[in-house]
Amino acid sequence: MDRAELAEMLGDQTTACEPARAALLDGGDFVVWDGRVPGQELAGIYGARLRRARKRGTETLALPSTVDILTGLEAAQVRIGCIFSPDRTWAFMLFLADDADAVLACTGVRRAER
């Protein structure tokens, strides 16, 4: 998958899609991994991340709506990708259809300073 294809798939699935698309088009690094994971499993993982982010005060974009979307997918297989903003301050997690022809959800998290 190339940058233009991925940018085209980022619509209005969640409010994180627009900033993720901007990061991608501004030259941010990206990857879409080969493996697949059941949506319900990802819902549990990202539900826990949401709770941790709220507890720690970590800035996120569209994490609650992404958890809702993943929960609704149940056993459907999902591919995972990531886009980093060019300055690496944001990481956007992408959840794609099994055949990687559509973005189902996108969430962003501000990365901690190191």
Side-chain angles (χ1 to χ4, degrees):
M1 171 177 312
D2 69 27
R3 187 176 299 276
E5 289 174 316
L6 184 54
E8 197 170 300
M9 285 191 261
L10 287 161
D12 61 357
Q13 296 90 338
T14 69
T15 57
C17 289
E18 185 175 330
R21 183 184 321 100
L24 183 64
L25 295 176
D26 286 345
D29 293 330
F30 74 99
V31 62
V32 175
W33 290 285
D34 288 331
R36 291 156 179 81
V37 181
Q40 193 66 36
E41 186 176 326
L42 290 169
I45 292 166
Y46 281 84
R49 289 183 180 183
L50 173 60
R51 291 185 295 277
R52 264 194 317 277
R54 285 180 173 161
K55 184 177 181 178
R56 295 177 180 166
T58 303
E59 187 177 358
T60 65
L61 295 173
L63 187 50
S65 58
T66 295
V67 171
D68 290 344
I69 291 168
L70 293 171
T71 299
L73 295 175
E74 298 178 353
Q77 295 293 304
V78 178
R79 292 186 63 177
I80 303 170
C82 186
I83 299 169
F84 293 99
S85 62
D87 64 2
R88 309 287 281 186
T89 58
W90 282 89
F92 298 95
M93 294 304 299
L94 309 173
F95 304 94
L96 297 96
D98 185 28
D99 57 4
D101 70 344
V103 171
L104 306 172
C106 174
T107 186
V109 63
R110 182 177 293 277
R111 300 181 70 201
E113 292 185 31
R114 297 178 191 231

